[in-house]
Amino acid sequence: MRGVLGLGLLMLFLAATPAHAQNAKFLQKFSDWSAYVHASAAKKVCFVIAQPKEKLPKRVRRGPIYFYISHWPNEKVRNEISIKIGYPFRANSTVDVTIGKDKFKLFTKDEGAYVESADTEKRLVDAMRKGSLMTVQGRSSRGTLTTDKYSLNGISAALDRIAQECPQAGS
């Protein structure tokens, strides 16, 4: 798992949804994805964000739902994936992300889902750049299985934009 510091900071940002709106600067919208930057004296983070186009089952009441990909240049972290699902996950559960034939398992904590390794994050982002639809399935603490469908239109352009704003060290 990535550093505890990054996860802790991201949890603070996720709690401030939608899209860290009060403290983040909107950069640009690219079809179904939006790019933002948040900079404080000590930290800078750039991220892209989207909401699902379809949420199933429709009758289930949930809080806000977001899929984030973040760059943390001070920590040399790229493409950190996180999902805010809008309900507490079942303890010790996983989330399934499917893009075409590619499948990924994420671990859960409270209302968030995260990728275990940087290598898996890279493979997931690569699949997102090549795909058109992403499906996210998770199970709530009450046992309800939810399925969220995200359009991937605009993801590549949005990621390219935050890479400009938060370049890798030495770039």
PDB file of all heavy atoms in Angstrom, residues 12-13 16 18-26 36-40 47:
ATOM      1  N   LEU A  12      -8.791  13.377   3.831  1.00  0.00           N
ATOM      2  CA  LEU A  12      -9.238  14.728   4.156  1.00  0.00           C
ATOM      3  C   LEU A  12      -9.884  15.387   2.944  1.00  0.00           C
ATOM      4  O   LEU A  12     -10.924  16.030   3.047  1.00  0.00           O
ATOM      5  CB  LEU A  12      -8.062  15.582   4.646  1.00  0.00           C
ATOM      6  CG  LEU A  12      -7.534  15.262   6.024  1.00  0.00           C
ATOM      7  CD1 LEU A  12      -6.278  16.083   6.315  1.00  0.00           C
ATOM      8  CD2 LEU A  12      -8.593  15.519   7.078  1.00  0.00           C
ATOM      9  N   PHE A  13      -9.262  15.242   1.776  1.00  0.00           N
ATOM     10  CA  PHE A  13      -9.829  15.806   0.561  1.00  0.00           C
ATOM     11  C   PHE A  13     -11.169  15.158   0.232  1.00  0.00           C
ATOM     12  O   PHE A  13     -12.117  15.838  -0.120  1.00  0.00           O
ATOM     13  CB  PHE A  13      -8.885  15.619  -0.632  1.00  0.00           C
ATOM     14  CG  PHE A  13      -7.751  16.591  -0.660  1.00  0.00           C
ATOM     15  CD1 PHE A  13      -6.462  16.131  -0.779  1.00  0.00           C
ATOM     16  CD2 PHE A  13      -7.960  17.953  -0.571  1.00  0.00           C
ATOM     17  CE1 PHE A  13      -5.403  17.021  -0.819  1.00  0.00           C
ATOM     18  CE2 PHE A  13      -6.910  18.849  -0.606  1.00  0.00           C
ATOM     19  CZ  PHE A  13      -5.625  18.381  -0.732  1.00  0.00           C
ATOM     20  N   ALA A  16     -14.206  16.406   1.858  1.00  0.00           N
ATOM     21  CA  ALA A  16     -14.635  17.741   1.460  1.00  0.00           C
ATOM     22  C   ALA A  16     -15.317  17.742   0.096  1.00  0.00           C
ATOM     23  O   ALA A  16     -15.350  18.757  -0.570  1.00  0.00           O
ATOM     24  CB  ALA A  16     -13.429  18.674   1.441  1.00  0.00           C
ATOM     25  N   PRO A  18     -18.071  18.104  -2.788  1.00  0.00           N
ATOM     26  CA  PRO A  18     -17.631  17.661  -4.087  1.00  0.00           C
ATOM     27  C   PRO A  18     -16.318  18.298  -4.512  1.00  0.00           C
ATOM     28  O   PRO A  18     -16.151  19.507  -4.435  1.00  0.00           O
ATOM     29  CB  PRO A  18     -18.753  18.097  -5.025  1.00  0.00           C
ATOM     30  CG  PRO A  18     -19.352  19.273  -4.358  1.00  0.00           C
ATOM     31  CD  PRO A  18     -19.178  19.060  -2.882  1.00  0.00           C
ATOM     32  N   ALA A  19     -15.445  17.460  -4.942  1.00  0.00           N
ATOM     33  CA  ALA A  19     -14.180  17.824  -5.575  1.00  0.00           C
ATOM     34  C   ALA A  19     -13.379  18.871  -4.828  1.00  0.00           C
ATOM     35  O   ALA A  19     -12.782  19.741  -5.434  1.00  0.00           O
ATOM     36  CB  ALA A  19     -14.436  18.269  -6.995  1.00  0.00           C
ATOM     37  N   HIS A  20     -13.381  18.788  -3.520  1.00  0.00           N
ATOM     38  CA  HIS A  20     -12.586  19.728  -2.725  1.00  0.00           C
ATOM     39  C   HIS A  20     -12.905  21.161  -3.144  1.00  0.00           C
ATOM     40  O   HIS A  20     -12.037  22.011  -3.221  1.00  0.00           O
ATOM     41  CB  HIS A  20     -11.086  19.468  -2.846  1.00  0.00           C
ATOM     42  CG  HIS A  20     -10.706  18.057  -3.105  1.00  0.00           C
ATOM     43  ND1 HIS A  20     -11.233  16.996  -2.418  1.00  0.00           N
ATOM     44  CD2 HIS A  20      -9.852  17.523  -4.001  1.00  0.00           C
ATOM     45  CE1 HIS A  20     -10.695  15.877  -2.871  1.00  0.00           C
ATOM     46  NE2 HIS A  20      -9.868  16.165  -3.824  1.00  0.00           N
ATOM     47  N   ALA A  21     -14.138  21.415  -3.478  1.00  0.00           N
ATOM     48  CA  ALA A  21     -14.547  22.633  -4.174  1.00  0.00           C
ATOM     49  C   ALA A  21     -14.108  23.912  -3.473  1.00  0.00           C
ATOM     50  O   ALA A  21     -13.765  24.879  -4.134  1.00  0.00           O
ATOM     51  CB  ALA A  21     -16.057  22.633  -4.369  1.00  0.00           C
ATOM     52  N   GLN A  22     -14.121  23.933  -2.158  1.00  0.00           N
ATOM     53  CA  GLN A  22     -13.788  25.178  -1.483  1.00  0.00           C
ATOM     54  C   GLN A  22     -12.309  25.531  -1.595  1.00  0.00           C
ATOM     55  O   GLN A  22     -11.954  26.693  -1.582  1.00  0.00           O
ATOM     56  CB  GLN A  22     -14.199  25.091  -0.011  1.00  0.00           C
ATOM     57  CG  GLN A  22     -15.697  25.016   0.144  1.00  0.00           C
ATOM     58  CD  GLN A  22     -16.117  23.987   1.148  1.00  0.00           C
ATOM     59  OE1 GLN A  22     -15.317  23.202   1.626  1.00  0.00           O
ATOM     60  NE2 GLN A  22     -17.397  23.979   1.475  1.00  0.00           N
ATOM     61  N   ASN A  23     -11.442  24.554  -1.709  1.00  0.00           N
ATOM     62  CA  ASN A  23     -10.009  24.825  -1.684  1.00  0.00           C
ATOM     63  C   ASN A  23      -9.284  24.489  -2.980  1.00  0.00           C
ATOM     64  O   ASN A  23      -8.104  24.755  -3.090  1.00  0.00           O
ATOM     65  CB  ASN A  23      -9.358  24.033  -0.543  1.00  0.00           C
ATOM     66  CG  ASN A  23      -9.929  24.428   0.793  1.00  0.00           C
ATOM     67  OD1 ASN A  23     -10.137  25.597   1.068  1.00  0.00           O
ATOM     68  ND2 ASN A  23     -10.214  23.444   1.627  1.00  0.00           N
ATOM     69  N   ALA A  24      -9.965  23.908  -3.926  1.00  0.00           N
ATOM     70  CA  ALA A  24      -9.309  23.499  -5.165  1.00  0.00           C
ATOM     71  C   ALA A  24      -9.635  24.483  -6.278  1.00  0.00           C
ATOM     72  O   ALA A  24     -10.710  25.066  -6.328  1.00  0.00           O
ATOM     73  CB  ALA A  24      -9.758  22.103  -5.567  1.00  0.00           C
ATOM     74  N   LYS A  25      -8.689  24.622  -7.169  1.00  0.00           N
ATOM     75  CA  LYS A  25      -8.872  25.483  -8.342  1.00  0.00           C
ATOM     76  C   LYS A  25      -9.250  24.592  -9.522  1.00  0.00           C
ATOM     77  O   LYS A  25      -8.513  23.660  -9.861  1.00  0.00           O
ATOM     78  CB  LYS A  25      -7.578  26.230  -8.641  1.00  0.00           C
ATOM     79  CG  LYS A  25      -7.642  27.068  -9.899  1.00  0.00           C
ATOM     80  CD  LYS A  25      -6.288  27.699 -10.177  1.00  0.00           C
ATOM     81  CE  LYS A  25      -6.261  28.236 -11.599  1.00  0.00           C
ATOM     82  NZ  LYS A  25      -4.897  28.541 -12.018  1.00  0.00           N
ATOM     83  N   PHE A  26     -10.393  24.887 -10.111  1.00  0.00           N
ATOM     84  CA  PHE A  26     -10.831  24.172 -11.298  1.00  0.00           C
ATOM     85  C   PHE A  26      -9.912  24.543 -12.447  1.00  0.00           C
ATOM     86  O   PHE A  26      -9.647  25.718 -12.695  1.00  0.00           O
ATOM     87  CB  PHE A  26     -12.281  24.549 -11.622  1.00  0.00           C
ATOM     88  CG  PHE A  26     -12.784  24.008 -12.913  1.00  0.00           C
ATOM     89  CD1 PHE A  26     -13.103  22.666 -13.033  1.00  0.00           C
ATOM     90  CD2 PHE A  26     -12.950  24.825 -14.014  1.00  0.00           C
ATOM     91  CE1 PHE A  26     -13.576  22.147 -14.231  1.00  0.00           C
ATOM     92  CE2 PHE A  26     -13.426  24.327 -15.213  1.00  0.00           C
ATOM     93  CZ  PHE A  26     -13.748  22.987 -15.322  1.00  0.00           C
ATOM     94  N   TYR A  36      -8.463  19.438 -11.554  1.00  0.00           N
ATOM     95  CA  TYR A  36      -8.336  20.420 -10.476  1.00  0.00           C
ATOM     96  C   TYR A  36      -6.906  20.420  -9.948  1.00  0.00           C
ATOM     97  O   TYR A  36      -6.173  19.440 -10.098  1.00  0.00           O
ATOM     98  CB  TYR A  36      -9.239  20.056  -9.296  1.00  0.00           C
ATOM     99  CG  TYR A  36     -10.710  20.221  -9.550  1.00  0.00           C
ATOM    100  CD1 TYR A  36     -11.443  19.228 -10.186  1.00  0.00           C
ATOM    101  CD2 TYR A  36     -11.369  21.371  -9.136  1.00  0.00           C
ATOM    102  CE1 TYR A  36     -12.797  19.380 -10.405  1.00  0.00           C
ATOM    103  CE2 TYR A  36     -12.729  21.521  -9.348  1.00  0.00           C
ATOM    104  CZ  TYR A  36     -13.443  20.524  -9.985  1.00  0.00           C
ATOM    105  OH  TYR A  36     -14.785  20.671 -10.205  1.00  0.00           O
ATOM    106  N   VAL A  37      -6.558  21.513  -9.270  1.00  0.00           N
ATOM    107  CA  VAL A  37      -5.311  21.585  -8.517  1.00  0.00           C
ATOM    108  C   VAL A  37      -5.630  22.194  -7.161  1.00  0.00           C
ATOM    109  O   VAL A  37      -6.477  23.089  -7.049  1.00  0.00           O
ATOM    110  CB  VAL A  37      -4.216  22.407  -9.259  1.00  0.00           C
ATOM    111  CG1 VAL A  37      -4.652  23.850  -9.473  1.00  0.00           C
ATOM    112  CG2 VAL A  37      -2.896  22.341  -8.509  1.00  0.00           C
ATOM    113  N   HIS A  38      -4.996  21.666  -6.145  1.00  0.00           N
ATOM    114  CA  HIS A  38      -5.086  22.220  -4.790  1.00  0.00           C
ATOM    115  C   HIS A  38      -3.662  22.415  -4.315  1.00  0.00           C
ATOM    116  O   HIS A  38      -2.849  21.486  -4.347  1.00  0.00           O
ATOM    117  CB  HIS A  38      -5.823  21.266  -3.858  1.00  0.00           C
ATOM    118  CG  HIS A  38      -5.905  21.781  -2.458  1.00  0.00           C
ATOM    119  ND1 HIS A  38      -4.897  21.591  -1.543  1.00  0.00           N
ATOM    120  CD2 HIS A  38      -6.859  22.504  -1.835  1.00  0.00           C
ATOM    121  CE1 HIS A  38      -5.233  22.166  -0.401  1.00  0.00           C
ATOM    122  NE2 HIS A  38      -6.409  22.723  -0.557  1.00  0.00           N
ATOM    123  N   ALA A  39      -3.360  23.634  -3.902  1.00  0.00           N
ATOM    124  CA  ALA A  39      -2.001  23.920  -3.438  1.00  0.00           C
ATOM    125  C   ALA A  39      -2.079  24.666  -2.118  1.00  0.00           C
ATOM    126  O   ALA A  39      -2.809  25.645  -1.987  1.00  0.00           O
ATOM    127  CB  ALA A  39      -1.245  24.750  -4.469  1.00  0.00           C
ATOM    128  N   SER A  40      -1.331  24.172  -1.151  1.00  0.00           N
ATOM    129  CA  SER A  40      -1.163  24.869   0.119  1.00  0.00           C
ATOM    130  C   SER A  40       0.329  25.167   0.243  1.00  0.00           C
ATOM    131  O   SER A  40       1.115  24.804  -0.627  1.00  0.00           O
ATOM    132  CB  SER A  40      -1.650  24.007   1.284  1.00  0.00           C
ATOM    133  OG  SER A  40      -0.827  22.867   1.423  1.00  0.00           O
ATOM    134  N   PHE A  47      -5.689  16.633  -9.423  1.00  0.00           N
ATOM    135  CA  PHE A  47      -6.527  15.446  -9.538  1.00  0.00           C
ATOM    136  C   PHE A  47      -7.570  15.622 -10.624  1.00  0.00           C
ATOM    137  O   PHE A  47      -7.941  16.739 -10.982  1.00  0.00           O
ATOM    138  CB  PHE A  47      -7.191  15.095  -8.206  1.00  0.00           C
ATOM    139  CG  PHE A  47      -8.039  16.196  -7.614  1.00  0.00           C
ATOM    140  CD1 PHE A  47      -9.402  16.228  -7.826  1.00  0.00           C
ATOM    141  CD2 PHE A  47      -7.464  17.184  -6.831  1.00  0.00           C
ATOM    142  CE1 PHE A  47     -10.178  17.225  -7.269  1.00  0.00           C
ATOM    143  CE2 PHE A  47      -8.223  18.187  -6.274  1.00  0.00           C
ATOM    144  CZ  PHE A  47      -9.594  18.215  -6.500  1.00  0.00           C
TER     145      PHE A  47
END
